Amino acid sequence: MKQFFTVFRAVCGTNINFSIWRCPLRIIGITHRVKQKIVNGEKSEESPTLVAIKNESGITQYALKTETDELDFLMGRFPTSWKEVREGEDLTGVLSRYVKEPQKEDGRRKAPASYEGYARGDIVLMPLGGSGDCFAFALSRRGEEIGSRIFRLPPHILKEKRDESEKDKDVELLIAIFAALPNLFYEVTPRERDLILVREQFRARMDAQQARLACEQRLRQRAIGRVFLSEEGKYPEGTVEDIYDAQKASDEILANLKAAEKEEDAVLSRAVERVPVFGILDGVEGCGVAIASRLIAAIGDVSRFPNEAKLKAFCGAHVMEDGRFPRRRRGQRCNWNPIARQALYLLADQFNRRPGSVWGQRLLMYKKKLRVAHPVVLCKECGVPRDECGQKSHKRLYSNGHIHKMAMWRTMTKFVEWLYREWTRLERAEQVNKKAA
């Protein structure tokens, strides 16, 4: 405890309101982690979810090593101590997976002696975003039933309050920050759960699409094999595509995968339409459910980003130090989100197809400005006008295609800035409405 309050005062200052510590309710800090990854066929080290429970007697920490442990904690049945089972003892009500069989011949079975977990009146604190979305969703939903609440802190604030070397102490740090600055946290409400649902449903939809494409690829390879691997040499007169189309039309597995993908699309559409920010994106001509779901799923909660620059860098719509827009280049790290960047590329294409729209007009405006700034097509290697360079293999700068791409990404940069402002304004309005209610 002494070490905790030392960190507490160092991070949050000495002018602290300790009234919350006299509250009889418990405060629980949770940092979620991916339990174990498979890297090159080998399991990585275990990374359990860390839990710190602050009550009147102090702070107790637990490690949830599996997703089942997380579920047990959610339901208030996570075993914390064990006892030997006496001969003939009734274990009715104890789950069979909790009972430990004896390791030695003369040993006894063991059963839980005490449990811990999410209970009525608890206040749970977690970082915003990351792998803990599903757990946060479940805690929020369960909290509505038992009268508990869950709050999340933007990760950039958590990073400002601690050093990288003390990342394992985030569970205690969350409690310390909440005690001093509770207004920095965002409560997980049904509205936030809708955002999490969009993200998870988008993943399910993409998985269904990839499964369908993989099945179609297998059928095509099978069609090619049936045509060329013929012992009789009786090759059909039709094309390979005709055989492939016939197999696709009659394959039951592919039909089921198509039906599953269609169902996932319908579920995703319903999930996206419930999210308030969809009202902003739906008002943009050319931005439908498909593109909006990508943006919402990638960004998740705009509160994770402290400013426009961070969101632009996350989406890959920023401008680098040399003035160029980012793209995959040899020797450079591509640290943007590929889903968000793909959504912006598709959206820019829609703007190009709709020149009469607001953003279509802005795209045309940037094209004109860039052409005025770069009126001559240059040779990239020689730096002279293209007409004066006799090397056909040299690349061109400021051609019509180059100008179009530059204008496209310039438009996307402005679109992300606009989206950040509108989304942030919506979030602030929601916060005001919550306080007023």
Side-chain angles (χ1 to χ4, degrees):
M1 285 297 295
K2 182 177 180 181
Q3 182 183 5
F4 167 73
F5 280 104
T6 301
V7 175
F8 187 7
R9 288 188 170 87
V11 172
C12 302
T14 56
N15 187 17
I16 298 171
N17 180 10
F18 284 88
S19 60
I20 192 170
W21 296 95
R22 293 191 292 270
C23 179
L25 306 181
R26 303 189 307 173
I27 303 178
I28 303 175
I30 298 178
T31 54
H32 189 274
R33 297 177 177 179
V34 178
K35 301 300 173 292
Q36 202 170 56
K37 298 180 180 179
I38 305 299
V39 181
N40 297 328
E42 297 182 358
K43 293 183 178 180
S44 62
E45 295 182 0
E46 293 185 355
S47 299
T49 294
L50 301 180
V51 177
I53 301 178
K54 170 70 177 68
N55 53 28
E56 294 178 347
S57 60
I59 294 181
T60 307
Q61 292 197 22
Y62 301 100
L64 309 181
K65 297 182 179 180
T66 65
E67 283 75 14
T68 302
D69 289 344
E70 291 180 0
L71 180 60
D72 290 338
F73 185 86
L74 172 71
M75 302 306 296
R77 61 192 185 200
F78 176 67
T80 56
S81 62
W82 304 85
K83 64 179 181 179
E84 291 187 352
V85 178
R86 297 188 301 272
E87 198 70 32
E89 183 177 350
D90 185 14
L91 294 180
T92 303
V94 179
L95 296 179
S96 58
R97 57 188 173 87
Y98 291 159
V99 180
K100 294 182 178 181
E101 296 299 328
Q103 301 295 325
K104 300 179 181 179
E105 294 183 0
D106 57 347
R108 290 186 178 182
R109 293 191 300 168
K110 291 184 178 181
S114 61
Y115 296 90
E116 187 56 272
Y118 197 30
R120 181 178 299 276
D122 286 347
I123 294 178
V124 177
L125 312 173
M126 294 181 66
L128 191 63
S131 62
D133 280 349
C134 292
F135 196 26
F137 183 101
L139 288 167
S140 174
R141 181 65 185 85
R142 175 72 173 164
E144 290 183 350
E145 299 176 353
I146 64 177
S148 299
R149 302 167 74 184
I150 172 173
F151 297 85
R152 305 184 78 180
L153 181 70
H156 64 89
I157 297 179
L158 185 62
K159 186 176 181 180
E160 291 173 0
K161 298 295 184 180
R162 56 117 163 110
D163 297 328
E164 289 294 334
S165 58
E166 298 181 349
K167 197 170 183 179
D168 292 340
K169 298 180 181 179
D170 281 354
V171 282
E172 294 184 359
L173 187 57
L174 285 168
I175 301 174
I177 297 173
F178 183 77
L181 305 167
N183 292 333
L184 296 178
F185 288 76
Y186 297 84
E187 185 173 5
V188 180
T189 62
R191 180 174 170 277
E192 280 69 29
R193 296 206 300 266
D194 286 341
L195 281 173
I196 296 174
L197 278 177
V198 170
R199 194 171 189 173
E200 295 303 317
Q201 189 56 46
F202 178 78
R203 291 175 181 172
R205 190 262 181 189
M206 294 301 294
D207 289 342
Q209 184 185 60
Q210 291 175 3
R212 188 258 304 168
L213 293 174
C215 183
E216 290 181 347
Q217 183 65 22
R218 288 194 298 270
L219 290 176
R220 180 173 178 79
Q221 293 300 322
R222 192 181 304 167
I224 294 174
R226 288 182 178 180
V227 170
F228 289 95
L229 302 179
S230 174
E231 292 289 349
E232 294 81 8
K234 298 179 180 180
Y235 302 109
E237 295 182 357
T239 64
V240 175
E241 283 70 22
D242 293 335
I243 300 175
Y244 171 51
D245 291 339
Q247 287 190 356
K248 286 200 300 182
S250 60
D251 190 81
E252 294 183 4
I253 297 178
L254 180 59
N256 292 333
L257 290 175
K258 286 183 177 180
E261 183 180 1
K262 186 177 180 180
E263 176 62 24
E264 296 293 353
D265 278 333
V267 175
L268 178 61
S269 297
R270 293 194 294 268
V272 170
E273 290 171 358
R274 289 200 303 267
V275 178
V277 72
F278 178 69
I280 296 175
L281 293 171
D282 192 40
V284 177
E285 187 174 346
C287 185
V289 173
I291 295 177
S293 63
R294 281 178 164 83
L295 283 172
I296 296 172
I299 297 173
D301 195 327
V302 75
S303 303
R304 296 191 299 137
F305 305 95
N307 49 51
E308 297 175 359
K310 294 293 184 181
L311 181 59
K312 288 190 293 185
F314 176 82
C315 296
H318 59 294
V319 179
M320 298 186 298
E321 295 180 357
D322 58 3
R324 296 183 298 174
F325 286 97
R327 65 180 179 87
R328 295 186 181 276
R329 293 183 175 91
R330 182 177 299 177
Q332 291 184 0
R333 181 182 178 185
C334 304
N335 57 353
W336 58 77
N337 185 281
I339 297 176
R341 188 174 170 89
Q342 182 189 41
L344 292 177
Y345 181 83
L346 295 173
L347 187 57
D349 182 64
Q350 293 299 316
F351 294 161
N352 185 51
R353 294 170 185 269
R354 293 169 170 81
S357 64
V358 174
W359 287 98
Q361 287 291 315
R362 185 168 292 193
L363 175 61
L364 292 175
M365 178 190 70
Y366 286 128
K367 280 187 178 181
K368 292 178 181 178
K369 286 186 176 181
L370 288 169
R371 178 49 74 194
V372 171
H374 307 284
V376 180
V377 180
L378 300 179
C379 173
K380 184 177 181 180
E381 282 75 9
C382 303
V384 299
R386 179 63 180 174
D387 297 338
E388 299 178 8
C389 176
Q391 302 294 329
K392 294 183 178 181
S393 60
H394 287 183
K395 295 182 179 180
R396 295 180 294 175
L397 285 178
Y398 310 124
S399 63
N400 290 336
H402 189 196
I403 291 292
H404 172 73
K405 287 186 177 180
M406 292 173 65
M408 180 186 73
W409 284 112
R410 180 63 176 170
T411 306
M412 288 300 96
T413 298
K414 292 301 180 181
F415 177 82
V416 174
E417 292 175 357
W418 170 84
L419 178 61
Y420 181 85
R421 291 193 298 268
E422 294 298 317
W423 199 341
T424 303
R425 188 178 296 115
L426 179 64
E427 292 287 333
R428 290 173 180 171
E430 289 291 332
Q431 292 294 328
V432 172
N433 293 335
K434 289 179 185 178
K435 291 180 180 179

